[in-house]
Amino acid sequence: MSSYGMMMDATAMCVMGFGFLYAFCRKYTWGGVTFNFLICGMCFLWCQVSTWFVNLIFTGKHVKTEINLEAIIGADLVTAAVLITFGVAYGFLSPSQLIVVCLLEPIAMKINEHIVVHYLHTSDAGGSILTHGFGAFFGLGLTLGLGIKAKNIPEENRQTSYVADSFALVGSIVLWMFWPSFNGSLLYDDATVQQRVVVNTYLAIC
């Protein structure tokens, strides 16, 4: 249970950090918060199924997914990638389209993770490649597929308000506070490396 605190910090980043952050637009304030909860609720659970499915693809063996703190932390990182993708297409996705993204992206991310970790032997403790980079590029591909263009965004959809800005500020603070835990959450098996990652992240954000 030593990594329980970091797991809760990573979960708080997804639920509270991204949730309040996506309230920055006046027109989509409550929609952004609601869709954030939808993404978290679906991806936290669907990630476990995605892990089993990807293992079945690469190994050809049916292995039961063990749900523990490690699996929950992994689900937090996958959920963060989907939330980043949602930020790219913010204001353009319907609930049904968002559900499709929540079903497809965790599987795609787990396939990418398996290739990067097992074939390319890349270490990515903080998720710069597997979470942030993948979520951003998946979102760019999604916008290209949907034909979203900035020039087609009505001006009133870009306007903000005092309440929306306040929510976004709270979200930014939550993300900033818990970032060291997010980066070090997967290194629970090596306390020395975990401490180095947490300290380096803390110093970097100060």
Side-chain angles (χ1 to χ4, degrees):
M1 294 295 290
S2 59
S3 56
Y4 175 78
M6 288 195 170
M7 181 272 291
M8 288 304 299
D9 289 349
T11 303
M13 284 185 68
C14 293
V15 177
M16 297 175 58
F18 282 104
F20 284 119
L21 184 65
Y22 286 149
F24 67 88
C25 188
R26 184 180 65 182
K27 184 175 182 179
Y28 303 114
T29 297
W30 300 112
V33 175
T34 304
F35 284 165
N36 181 84
F37 289 156
L38 172 64
I39 293 172
C40 290
M42 283 196 64
C43 292
F44 284 156
L45 301 178
W46 182 247
C47 179
Q48 315 305 330
V49 180
S50 301
T51 301
W52 164 82
F53 182 68
V54 172
N55 287 335
L56 180 64
I57 291 175
F58 284 99
T59 65
K61 299 179 181 179
H62 167 67
V63 180
K64 291 183 179 180
T65 301
E66 184 177 352
I67 301 179
N68 49 27
L69 289 180
E70 177 186 354
I72 296 175
I73 291 172
D76 286 336
L77 268 65
V78 172
T79 303
V82 179
L83 289 170
I84 292 170
T85 298
F86 172 59
V88 179
Y90 182 77
F92 289 94
L93 292 177
S94 66
S96 58
Q97 290 173 325
L98 192 58
I99 290 174
V100 173
V101 172
C102 290
L103 294 176
L104 295 180
E105 186 171 358
I107 296 176
M109 180 178 171
K110 281 296 179 180
I111 292 175
N112 179 67
E113 177 184 332
H114 190 92
I115 293 173
V116 170
V117 173
H118 293 90
Y119 291 94
L120 301 180
H121 305 289
T122 302
S123 178
D124 186 35
S128 299
I129 302 171
L130 298 175
T131 300
H132 308 292
F134 182 85
F137 282 107
F138 194 94
L140 291 175
L142 181 65
T143 56
L144 290 175
L146 295 175
I148 299 174
K149 296 182 179 180
K151 64 180 181 180
N152 296 331
I153 302 176
E155 183 62 31
E156 60 270 16
N157 291 10
R158 306 183 187 187
Q159 295 178 356
T160 184
S161 65
Y162 180 80
V163 174
D165 286 342
S166 300
F167 279 165
L169 176 61
V170 172
S172 300
I173 293 174
V174 171
L175 291 173
W176 182 79
M177 287 176 58
F178 294 145
W179 213 275
S181 296
F182 187 88
N183 282 353
S185 58
L186 285 179
L187 300 170
Y188 49 85
D189 56 345
D190 192 332
T192 302
V193 176
Q194 186 182 61
Q195 177 178 323
R196 186 182 305 126
V197 170
V198 170
V199 171
N200 287 344
T201 305
Y202 179 83
L203 294 175
I205 64 178
C206 287

Short mmCIF file of all heavy atoms in Angstrom, two decimals, residues 1-9 66-73 185 187-189 194:
data_model
loop_
_atom_site.label_atom_id
_atom_site.label_comp_id
_atom_site.label_asym_id
_atom_site.label_seq_id
_atom_site.Cartn_x
_atom_site.Cartn_y
_atom_site.Cartn_z
N MET A 1 0.82 -1.22 0.00
CA MET A 1 0.00 0.00 0.00
C MET A 1 0.86 1.27 0.00
O MET A 1 0.34 2.36 0.17
CB MET A 1 -0.92 0.00 1.22
CG MET A 1 -1.97 -1.10 1.22
SD MET A 1 -3.16 -0.92 -0.10
CE MET A 1 -4.05 0.52 0.47
N SER A 2 2.16 1.11 -0.15
CA SER A 2 3.05 2.28 -0.09
C SER A 2 2.81 3.24 -1.25
O SER A 2 3.10 4.43 -1.14
CB SER A 2 4.50 1.82 -0.09
OG SER A 2 4.80 1.07 -1.25
N SER A 3 2.28 2.74 -2.37
CA SER A 3 2.05 3.59 -3.53
C SER A 3 0.61 4.09 -3.59
O SER A 3 0.21 4.70 -4.60
CB SER A 3 2.38 2.83 -4.82
OG SER A 3 1.66 1.62 -4.91
N TYR A 4 -0.17 3.85 -2.52
CA TYR A 4 -1.57 4.29 -2.53
C TYR A 4 -1.68 5.80 -2.65
O TYR A 4 -2.54 6.31 -3.37
CB TYR A 4 -2.27 3.81 -1.25
CG TYR A 4 -3.69 4.32 -1.12
CD1 TYR A 4 -4.72 3.73 -1.85
CD2 TYR A 4 -4.00 5.39 -0.28
CE1 TYR A 4 -6.02 4.20 -1.74
CE2 TYR A 4 -5.29 5.85 -0.16
CZ TYR A 4 -6.30 5.25 -0.89
OH TYR A 4 -7.58 5.72 -0.79
N GLY A 5 -0.82 6.53 -1.94
CA GLY A 5 -0.87 7.99 -1.99
C GLY A 5 -0.62 8.52 -3.39
O GLY A 5 -1.32 9.42 -3.86
N MET A 6 0.39 7.97 -4.07
CA MET A 6 0.68 8.41 -5.43
C MET A 6 -0.44 8.03 -6.39
O MET A 6 -0.74 8.78 -7.33
CB MET A 6 2.00 7.82 -5.90
CG MET A 6 3.22 8.44 -5.24
SD MET A 6 4.74 8.08 -6.08
CE MET A 6 5.87 9.18 -5.22
N MET A 7 -1.05 6.86 -6.15
CA MET A 7 -2.18 6.47 -7.00
C MET A 7 -3.33 7.45 -6.85
O MET A 7 -3.95 7.87 -7.84
CB MET A 7 -2.63 5.06 -6.62
CG MET A 7 -3.80 4.52 -7.46
SD MET A 7 -5.43 4.94 -6.80
CE MET A 7 -5.46 3.95 -5.31
N MET A 8 -3.62 7.87 -5.62
CA MET A 8 -4.70 8.83 -5.40
C MET A 8 -4.35 10.19 -5.98
O MET A 8 -5.23 10.89 -6.50
CB MET A 8 -4.99 8.95 -3.90
CG MET A 8 -5.68 7.73 -3.31
SD MET A 8 -7.23 7.32 -4.16
CE MET A 8 -8.18 8.80 -3.90
N ASP A 9 -3.08 10.58 -5.91
CA ASP A 9 -2.66 11.85 -6.51
C ASP A 9 -2.86 11.83 -8.03
O ASP A 9 -3.34 12.80 -8.63
CB ASP A 9 -1.20 12.14 -6.19
CG ASP A 9 -0.99 12.50 -4.73
OD1 ASP A 9 -2.00 12.73 -4.02
OD2 ASP A 9 0.17 12.55 -4.28
N GLU A 66 -5.00 -8.79 -13.34
CA GLU A 66 -5.02 -8.61 -11.89
C GLU A 66 -5.22 -7.13 -11.59
O GLU A 66 -4.43 -6.29 -11.99
CB GLU A 66 -3.71 -9.09 -11.28
CG GLU A 66 -3.68 -9.01 -9.77
CD GLU A 66 -2.40 -9.55 -9.17
OE1 GLU A 66 -1.60 -10.13 -9.93
OE2 GLU A 66 -2.21 -9.40 -7.95
N ILE A 67 -6.29 -6.83 -10.89
CA ILE A 67 -6.60 -5.44 -10.56
C ILE A 67 -5.99 -5.11 -9.20
O ILE A 67 -6.45 -5.60 -8.16
CB ILE A 67 -8.12 -5.19 -10.55
CG1 ILE A 67 -8.70 -5.51 -11.93
CG2 ILE A 67 -8.43 -3.75 -10.18
CD1 ILE A 67 -10.19 -5.31 -12.03
N ASN A 68 -4.93 -4.33 -9.22
CA ASN A 68 -4.25 -3.91 -8.00
C ASN A 68 -3.83 -2.45 -8.16
O ASN A 68 -4.25 -1.78 -9.13
CB ASN A 68 -3.04 -4.81 -7.73
CG ASN A 68 -2.17 -4.99 -8.97
OD1 ASN A 68 -2.14 -4.10 -9.84
ND2 ASN A 68 -1.48 -6.11 -9.06
N LEU A 69 -3.01 -1.95 -7.25
CA LEU A 69 -2.59 -0.55 -7.33
C LEU A 69 -1.81 -0.27 -8.61
O LEU A 69 -1.95 0.79 -9.21
CB LEU A 69 -1.75 -0.18 -6.11
CG LEU A 69 -2.50 -0.06 -4.78
CD1 LEU A 69 -1.53 0.30 -3.66
CD2 LEU A 69 -3.61 0.98 -4.87
N GLU A 70 -0.99 -1.23 -9.04
CA GLU A 70 -0.24 -1.05 -10.28
C GLU A 70 -1.17 -0.89 -11.47
O GLU A 70 -0.99 -0.03 -12.33
CB GLU A 70 0.68 -2.25 -10.50
CG GLU A 70 1.45 -2.20 -11.81
CD GLU A 70 2.25 -3.46 -12.07
OE1 GLU A 70 2.28 -4.34 -11.19
OE2 GLU A 70 2.84 -3.57 -13.16
N ALA A 71 -2.21 -1.72 -11.51
CA ALA A 71 -3.18 -1.65 -12.62
C ALA A 71 -3.95 -0.34 -12.58
O ALA A 71 -4.24 0.26 -13.63
CB ALA A 71 -4.13 -2.84 -12.56
N ILE A 72 -4.29 0.13 -11.38
CA ILE A 72 -5.04 1.38 -11.26
C ILE A 72 -4.18 2.57 -11.69
O ILE A 72 -4.65 3.48 -12.37
CB ILE A 72 -5.54 1.56 -9.81
CG1 ILE A 72 -6.54 0.46 -9.47
CG2 ILE A 72 -6.19 2.92 -9.64
CD1 ILE A 72 -6.99 0.47 -8.03
N ILE A 73 -2.89 2.55 -11.31
CA ILE A 73 -1.99 3.62 -11.74
C ILE A 73 -1.85 3.61 -13.25
O ILE A 73 -1.87 4.67 -13.90
CB ILE A 73 -0.62 3.47 -11.06
CG1 ILE A 73 -0.74 3.75 -9.56
CG2 ILE A 73 0.41 4.40 -11.69
CD1 ILE A 73 0.52 3.44 -8.77
N SER A 185 4.76 7.66 -10.02
CA SER A 185 3.81 6.64 -9.57
C SER A 185 4.14 5.24 -10.04
O SER A 185 3.89 4.26 -9.33
CB SER A 185 2.39 7.03 -10.03
OG SER A 185 2.35 7.15 -11.45
N LEU A 187 7.05 3.93 -10.50
CA LEU A 187 8.35 3.45 -10.03
C LEU A 187 8.28 2.94 -8.60
O LEU A 187 9.21 3.10 -7.82
CB LEU A 187 9.38 4.58 -10.14
CG LEU A 187 9.59 5.12 -11.55
CD1 LEU A 187 10.44 6.38 -11.52
CD2 LEU A 187 10.26 4.05 -12.42
N TYR A 188 7.16 2.32 -8.24
CA TYR A 188 6.95 1.84 -6.87
C TYR A 188 7.92 0.72 -6.49
O TYR A 188 8.12 0.46 -5.31
CB TYR A 188 5.51 1.33 -6.73
CG TYR A 188 5.10 0.38 -7.82
CD1 TYR A 188 5.38 -0.97 -7.74
CD2 TYR A 188 4.45 0.86 -8.95
CE1 TYR A 188 5.02 -1.83 -8.76
CE2 TYR A 188 4.09 0.02 -9.96
CZ TYR A 188 4.38 -1.33 -9.86
OH TYR A 188 4.03 -2.18 -10.88
N ASP A 189 8.51 0.03 -7.47
CA ASP A 189 9.40 -1.09 -7.16
C ASP A 189 10.85 -0.66 -6.93
O ASP A 189 11.71 -1.50 -6.65
CB ASP A 189 9.35 -2.14 -8.27
CG ASP A 189 9.67 -1.55 -9.63
OD1 ASP A 189 9.66 -0.31 -9.75
OD2 ASP A 189 9.94 -2.32 -10.57
N GLN A 194 12.45 6.31 -7.76
CA GLN A 194 11.20 7.04 -7.55
C GLN A 194 11.45 8.37 -6.85
O GLN A 194 10.90 9.40 -7.24
CB GLN A 194 10.22 6.19 -6.75
CG GLN A 194 8.84 6.83 -6.61
CD GLN A 194 7.91 5.98 -5.77
OE1 GLN A 194 8.18 5.72 -4.60
NE2 GLN A 194 6.82 5.53 -6.36
#
